[in-house]
Amino acid sequence: MREIRKLIKNKLLYIVLLISFLITLANAIMGSIQYHTDYALYNRLYSEFPDAIAMVSAHQYWMGLSDSFFSSFYYFIFPLLIGIPIVDSIFREKSSGNVEYILVKESRLSYYSRKFIFTYFSGVILFALPLLIGILISNLISGQWDFAAYTDVYKKMINGTASFADNVFDGQKKEMFSDLLAKSPYLYIFIYYLIGSLYAGMYACFGLAISLFLKNRYLVILSPLMLYLGFWLLCSLIGKVSIDPFNFLDPRQPVNNLSYSSFYINFIIGMLTIVIIYILGVKKNSDTI
């Protein structure tokens, strides 16, 4: 409860939530406009192919699935957004001297464990909340909630029985989690939001861990984004973009050769590394905190 009260009193939290909400709102508005434009176009082009018309669905303009600037922008900067209000909590308490007062009342193990766990789950919530709200807003604006027509045709498409005028829809076939999309777009996007949330918590904890070594608050806040984009740059340079979270966390699946193993291998290695960095940081500060 102590950490929750501190977070609630942090003005940066509300700035981040406002920015995230504005991004989701802009995406929903632009997505609704694009949906109605595309639907009208496909009605003219494929009037004799109802399967083709059904493939234009409002869910394709949700955050993460949309090709809009706002959706891509959110996935580009989310490590920074989630980091701003939470990753420098130890740094601020150490700088203000409050940490010494806190450690009089509780053990170091309790303090650092609480900080790590709270930071992780705060990152999870700060990532997922705008996305879930984005679905709600998008559905309200478009007036679409049931996507059974799309899933029926998607099943036919992956089975090769859909009737299209051309192969323009081949790009909608998903390499991963295609069975979930065939059941419901909600299942498909929720699994991506869940995986993204787990990684968001990991990036937040990286910022917390690195704060035990850095003396610059701005570098601490930027560190989750630096890790996220730095690994993307490295993978791009060595030609392994399919193993990079920047690409495999994207529900659009923008690159080929994606694999389920990338999700858990990157996560396990990343979390273990961050825990080790955090423990080393705690030991490094044992004489000063």
Side-chain angles (χ1 to χ4, degrees):
M1 289 299 295
R2 181 187 303 169
E3 295 299 327
I4 295 176
R5 288 195 297 269
K6 290 179 182 177
L7 183 60
I8 291 175
K9 293 179 180 179
N10 190 344
K11 295 179 180 179
L12 291 175
L13 170 66
Y14 301 100
I15 295 175
V16 166
L17 290 177
L18 177 60
I19 293 172
S20 300
F21 174 76
L22 291 176
I23 293 173
T24 58
L25 180 61
N27 180 76
I29 293 172
M30 295 301 296
S32 178
I33 295 172
Q34 190 63 48
Y35 164 65
H36 288 99
T37 300
D38 291 347
Y39 191 80
L41 174 63
Y42 278 69
N43 260 299
R44 293 196 302 270
L45 293 176
Y46 304 114
S47 58
E48 298 179 2
F49 297 90
D51 283 353
I53 297 173
M55 289 298 288
V56 182
S57 175
H59 82 272
Q60 295 166 329
Y61 306 90
W62 288 342
M63 290 279 286
L65 286 173
S66 172
D67 290 325
S68 79
F69 164 80
F70 299 101
S71 177
S72 299
F73 183 61
Y74 182 80
Y75 268 81
F76 181 80
I77 66 164
F78 81 82
L80 175 62
L81 288 177
I82 64 171
I84 288 173
I86 58 176
V87 300
D88 64 339
S89 61
I90 294 178
F91 185 92
R92 283 185 282 112
E93 289 176 357
K94 185 170 64 172
S95 300
S96 66
N98 287 340
V99 67
E100 297 176 2
Y101 172 76
I102 295 172
L103 291 178
V104 170
K105 295 186 175 182
E106 66 176 303
S107 68
R108 290 169 55 83
L109 176 61
S110 173
Y111 174 76
Y112 284 110
S113 299
R114 171 169 52 80
K115 284 290 186 182
F116 192 88
I117 294 171
F118 182 80
T119 299
Y120 183 85
F121 286 103
S122 295
V124 167
I125 294 171
L126 288 174
F127 173 83
L129 185 61
L131 296 174
L132 296 175
I133 292 175
I135 289 180
L136 178 62
I137 296 174
S138 295
N139 288 4
L140 286 171
I141 293 177
S142 68
Q144 302 292 317
W145 297 86
D146 184 0
F147 305 103
Y150 174 87
T151 55
D152 289 342
V153 177
Y154 185 81
K155 293 173 191 174
K156 292 166 64 176
M157 181 179 68
I158 60 180
N159 291 328
T161 58
S163 177
F164 299 141
D166 48 42
N167 61 353
V168 69
F169 298 104
D170 286 349
Q172 291 196 26
K173 293 180 181 178
K174 301 302 181 185
E175 195 171 356
M176 297 190 299
F177 303 113
S178 184
D179 55 331
L180 295 182
L181 184 57
K183 293 177 181 177
S184 170
Y186 291 109
L187 290 175
Y188 177 83
I189 200 64
F190 285 165
I191 192 65
Y192 264 99
Y193 286 177
L194 174 61
I195 294 171
S197 297
L198 296 177
Y199 272 82
M202 182 181 75
Y203 288 121
C205 285
F206 174 75
L208 185 73
I210 211 71
S211 73
L212 296 171
F213 296 90
L214 300 179
K215 295 183 179 181
N216 187 302
R217 183 186 178 194
Y218 298 104
L219 286 179
V220 170
I221 292 173
L222 286 171
S223 60
L225 182 64
M226 293 167 65
L227 173 64
Y228 181 59
L229 297 182
F231 194 68
W232 165 70
L233 178 61
L234 175 63
C235 290
S236 298
L237 291 175
I238 63 175
K240 297 291 184 179
V241 292
S242 62
I243 66 170
D244 170 42
F246 185 82
N247 290 306
F248 68 62
L249 292 180
D250 190 332
R252 296 174 302 170
Q253 300 187 20
V255 299
N256 297 321
N257 301 317
L258 294 168
S259 66
Y260 296 104
S261 60
S262 295
F263 290 117
Y264 60 81
I265 291 177
N266 273 271
F267 183 76
I268 292 173
I269 294 176
M271 281 303 299
L272 286 175
T273 303
I274 290 167
V275 169
I276 292 172
I277 294 173
Y278 191 65
I279 293 173
L280 292 175
V282 171
K283 291 182 177 180
K284 176 180 180 295
N285 288 271
S286 60
D287 294 333
T288 58
I289 299 182

